[in-house]
Structure formats: structure tokens, C-alpha cells
Amino acid sequence: MTSETRFDAPLLEQQLMQEDALLRGHFRLSSGLHSDTYVQCARFLRRPELAAPAMAELAQRIREAGLQPDVIVGPAMGGVVVSYELGRQLGVPAIFTERDDTGQMTLRRGFTLQPGERIIIAEDVVTTGKSTKEVARILEGLGGKILGVASLIDRTGGKAELSFPTFALLPVTAATHAPDDCPLCRAGIPVVKPGSRPEKAFS
């Protein structure tokens, strides 16, 4: 079966929107910037019957690329569920990085890497690529070899400029604006800070 017949990107986008995991409007992001798009993949990933087929597609794309990871690593928190399900689909262990008391991303909880272990970094959404690059540097510093990054959504629209192969099920082009130069504000559209929407969207 070809990738075209196996995977339906419009259906995935519809599912994300139905689960309020992909929202369109006027949002204040944690960076302080304003955007017309907000992504909260946890709303989608909480549904195993939706998450499993999506991760199966990612796993198949990784296999088709000829990549054979030894371990999947997901940055906490968003990458934890993705890494677990992707690891299950590929039949390899899944671990995660998290920030220590100094704010540095690292492996904790007894997780370790062996020198030369081949790694797929698993993300729920790649927003700028900055955090993915940070995780890659940490893992390479521990002796790992990065094969690629797999994500549910690429919010950069394919412009993350990562130095290794990327696998994303849905590219999402999102406009961002400085608060003092935001056309949505000028249009009088109320800005919403994620977490302040009604329970339906963010509980």
C-alpha cells in the first residue's frame, strides 16, 4: 500500500480540530507573540484510537527511509506519549528527556544511552526547531547518533532547518506577530491566552 492511499492528511487535520488540538483564531503564545494558530497535541494524543494510527504512519515512514533506531527519545512533556507509542510501533525502547533544576534538558530517572546508539527524536509538534536542536546536542554529547526527528505536526511549515531527516504527518503554517504589530489586534479580534479558553478547548 502506498503512502498516498495509507494516510489521509485532511482527515488527520479534521481529527485534530475536532479534538481542539488545532485551533484557529487569535492567540497569545507563551513566547509573548500573537498567532492565528494554536496547537495542543495532548488533546489528540489522549485518544489512543487516534494516536496509534498516526504513530503507525510515522513508524512506517521511518522504516521506508531505511532507518533503524535503537531507541526513541521524546522531550518532556509533549514528546513523552509520542515517543512511547512510536517506540511500541517500531519495537524499540522509548525514553524521554526533561529539564533539571537548572533548566537544562537532560536524561534523568536512570535513563542512559550507550555510545553509538541510534536515536529518533519524537515530538508532538515542532514549533521552531530550537528545542529539537537542543535535545539533539544533549543526546549527541552523551554518545548518541541522531537519525531523525518524527512529529505529529510541523508548525514551521517545513522551515525548521534541522540537520537530520524530519518526518511530520501534518505541516501547519502559522502566522506570528509582535503584540505591537499584530493585524489581528488591529482588526479588533479578541486575543486568547491558551489556558483561558472555555473548558471545551483546554481542559
Side-chain angles (χ1 to χ4, degrees):
M1 183 179 294
T2 66
S3 178
E4 286 75 18
T5 59
R6 183 180 60 237
F7 177 66
D8 187 341
L11 175 60
L12 174 61
E13 183 171 3
Q14 180 183 9
Q15 291 172 336
L16 287 162
M17 297 186 76
Q18 286 175 341
E19 293 301 314
D20 289 323
L22 177 62
L23 300 171
R24 304 292 189 179
H26 184 191
F27 305 98
R28 183 183 299 114
L29 305 179
S30 58
S31 64
L33 297 175
H34 290 199
S35 180
D36 62 354
T37 303
Y38 183 72
V39 177
Q40 176 52 276
C41 287
R43 294 282 307 180
F44 176 86
L45 294 168
R46 68 184 179 141
R47 298 278 300 276
E49 73 276 16
L50 299 179
M55 294 306 104
E57 171 65 22
L58 273 179
Q60 185 62 22
R61 293 188 186 188
I62 291 168
R63 292 190 191 98
E64 290 173 352
L67 301 181
Q68 297 180 330
D70 298 308
V71 63
I72 310 298
V73 180
M77 285 291 295
V80 174
V81 175
V82 178
S83 64
Y84 169 80
E85 182 58 28
L86 191 57
R88 191 180 74 84
Q89 296 282 352
L90 290 169
V92 300
I95 62 177
F96 56 88
T97 60
E98 58 189 313
R99 298 199 180 277
D100 61 19
D101 294 338
T102 68
Q104 297 298 309
M105 189 66 81
T106 187
L107 289 177
R108 304 177 70 181
R109 304 174 192 273
F111 294 148
T112 59
L113 290 176
Q114 298 300 317
E117 277 199 295
R118 298 163 298 184
I119 301 165
I120 293 289
I121 297 174
E123 301 260 25
D124 56 348
V125 54
V126 173
T127 302
T128 64
K130 182 179 178 181
S131 63
T132 304
K133 293 174 184 176
E134 177 188 4
V135 171
R137 286 195 300 270
I138 295 298
L139 298 176
E140 288 172 337
L142 294 171
K145 178 182 178 182
I146 309 301
L147 298 183
V149 58
S151 65
L152 187 63
I153 292 176
D154 178 0
R155 199 175 182 274
T156 73
K159 299 178 181 178
E161 297 184 351
L162 299 173
S163 60
F164 34 79
T166 61
F167 304 88
L169 293 185
L170 188 68
V172 172
T173 301
T176 56
H177 312 280
D180 57 356
D181 187 29
C182 176
L184 299 170
C185 289
R186 291 195 294 271
I189 301 173
V191 63
V192 173
K193 184 179 183 300
S196 64
R197 278 179 75 90
E199 180 180 2
K200 177 179 182 295
F202 291 101
S203 63

